[in-house]
Amino acid sequence: RTRGEGFVWIGLHEPTDDQITAIAETYGLHELAVEDAVTAKQRPKLERYEDSLFMVLKTVTYVEHDEPTTATELIKTGEVMAFVGPDFIVTVRHGDHCGLHRVRERLEADPEQLALGPAAVLHAIADHIVDQYVAVTDAIEKDMDEIEAEVFEPRSAMDSEQIYVMKREVLELRRSVVPLVGPLRKLTEGYSALVPHEVRSYFRDVDDHLSTVTERVTGFDELLTTLVDAVLAKITLRQNNDMRKITAYAGLISVPTMVAGVYGMNFDFMPELHWRFGYPLILVVTALLVLGLYRNFRRNRWL
């Protein structure tokens, strides 16, 4: 810093107050941003202070599972906070899946990119995280295709509960992706002099990829809403079919019940009561009535 050459990248993983205090004092980090970096659970955002930027990015990873129709968790989230100054960038990570060692290795192998300063590191981190978004949305899309096929399978046992699980996970992904659109757009529009013009064009490419992911995630949410409606419609149709069958069987049982009720009243003067063939005749008539009702229900697809 005395010579005014180069910059430093300090990476921290879930630091405590004591661990970050010395760094905050050395580089003049704003106390409110430092508090956010320690406590985490922040939405994606970009804040500008006197001579530094503070950016929050949500990271996501796909949780492997056997079947999307039985999984209870599909996505895990984490956070990366970045403090960017003229000659430093301090990153704070929360979560076990959001390591940046590959980003560091890639930048160390590209001195020309590093020569653009700390903003180039911020771009590389944002690009890496958005690439994770793309990978996760690809995996989620495959799960969505399986669930969609299961829903429209003629005799599937798919219920709405698993779709709500998927909708919850997609909502978690949406909360990570959509709020990042604004901060990235600011970086492409010259929000701060800490991001030189040469780096803004790189952020535009990241912004394009993020816009694509946002559109896909919005499409997932709309598709899941449609699938919920389809499952509920199938359940309603199945219930209607069951009610029709129950009603049909009740109608079949009502005929012999009515005949038995009439001839069980114990009157002396009733038609065919003392005739030798009265009992067989009543049985035959009852069977014919039941058979006629059965054929009528079958014709109307109630049975």
Side-chain angles (χ1 to χ4, degrees):
R1 302 188 78 181
T2 303
R3 296 193 306 269
E5 298 176 358
F7 66 92
V8 64
W9 177 6
I10 301 175
L12 304 172
H13 180 246
E14 299 182 358
T16 63
D17 289 328
D18 295 336
Q19 291 172 334
I20 201 173
T21 297
I23 296 175
E25 292 176 353
T26 301
Y27 296 103
L29 307 181
H30 198 279
E31 59 182 5
L32 294 178
V34 171
E35 181 180 355
D36 289 344
V38 173
T39 58
K41 304 298 181 183
Q42 303 294 317
R43 284 171 58 88
K45 61 182 180 180
L46 177 65
E47 295 177 346
R48 179 173 54 191
Y49 296 99
E50 294 180 0
D51 56 351
S52 65
L53 290 175
F54 176 63
M55 188 171 187
V56 178
L57 303 99
K58 298 284 284 187
T59 61
V60 297
T61 187
Y62 180 73
V63 179
E64 297 293 339
H65 49 269
D66 296 330
E67 293 290 339
T69 55
T70 58
T72 58
E73 185 179 27
L74 302 175
I75 295 173
K76 281 186 177 180
T77 61
E79 295 175 43
V80 171
M81 289 97 162
F83 298 88
V84 181
D87 56 358
F88 69 88
I89 176 168
V90 178
T91 56
V92 179
R93 298 186 296 110
H94 290 270
D96 298 329
H97 63 274
C98 51
L100 300 176
H101 59 279
R102 294 183 181 178
V103 177
R104 185 182 294 269
E105 291 174 355
R106 188 166 63 248
L107 284 173
E108 289 175 348
D110 190 357
E112 294 182 1
Q113 189 73 8
L114 276 178
L116 298 176
V121 178
L122 181 63
H123 159 262
I125 294 172
D127 185 52
H128 172 69
I129 291 174
V130 172
D131 285 345
Q132 286 183 327
Y133 293 166
V134 174
V136 170
T137 51
D138 288 341
I140 291 293
E141 188 171 26
K142 293 179 181 178
D143 289 343
M144 295 278 288
D145 291 340
E146 291 186 30
I147 289 181
E148 185 178 12
E150 183 72 18
V151 167
F152 293 105
E153 188 72 21
R155 299 183 181 276
S156 68
M158 189 71 182
D159 58 14
S160 58
E161 182 178 354
Q162 190 58 36
I163 299 179
Y164 283 121
V165 171
M166 176 68 78
K167 195 172 181 66
R168 180 196 67 198
E169 297 300 298
V170 169
L171 180 60
E172 186 72 19
L173 178 61
R174 185 175 182 178
R175 288 172 179 169
S176 301
V177 172
V178 175
L180 186 58
V181 173
L184 273 183
R185 196 66 49 83
K186 288 181 180 179
L187 291 175
T188 64
E189 296 173 351
Y191 179 72
S192 172
L194 293 172
V195 181
H197 179 74
E198 296 85 352
V199 181
R200 293 177 198 167
S201 58
Y202 294 111
F203 277 112
R204 291 190 187 96
D205 182 65
V206 178
D207 183 51
D208 289 341
H209 292 167
L210 183 64
S211 298
T212 302
V213 173
T214 302
E215 292 174 0
R216 294 176 67 185
V217 172
T218 302
F220 292 162
D221 190 51
E222 294 174 354
L223 177 58
L224 286 170
T225 300
T226 302
L227 292 180
V228 169
D229 294 339
V231 169
L232 294 179
K234 288 182 67 176
I235 292 174
T236 302
L237 180 60
R238 191 181 305 123
Q239 291 176 341
N240 289 338
N241 289 335
D242 293 341
M243 287 301 300
R244 287 194 301 179
K245 289 181 179 180
I246 293 171
T247 304
Y249 284 118
L252 295 177
I253 295 173
S254 66
V255 173
T257 301
M258 181 188 66
V259 174
V262 170
Y263 277 89
M265 290 189 292
N266 296 322
F267 288 107
D268 290 334
F269 301 101
M270 293 182 68
E272 316 301 340
L273 188 62
H274 300 288
W275 183 39
R276 179 188 297 266
F277 301 104
Y279 178 70
L281 177 63
I282 293 301
L283 290 180
V284 171
V285 171
T286 302
L288 290 175
L289 290 174
V290 172
L291 180 61
L293 283 175
Y294 179 79
R295 292 185 63 184
N296 186 53
F297 289 142
R298 290 283 293 179
R299 187 184 305 114
N300 291 287
R301 296 183 179 178
W302 281 41
L303 289 174

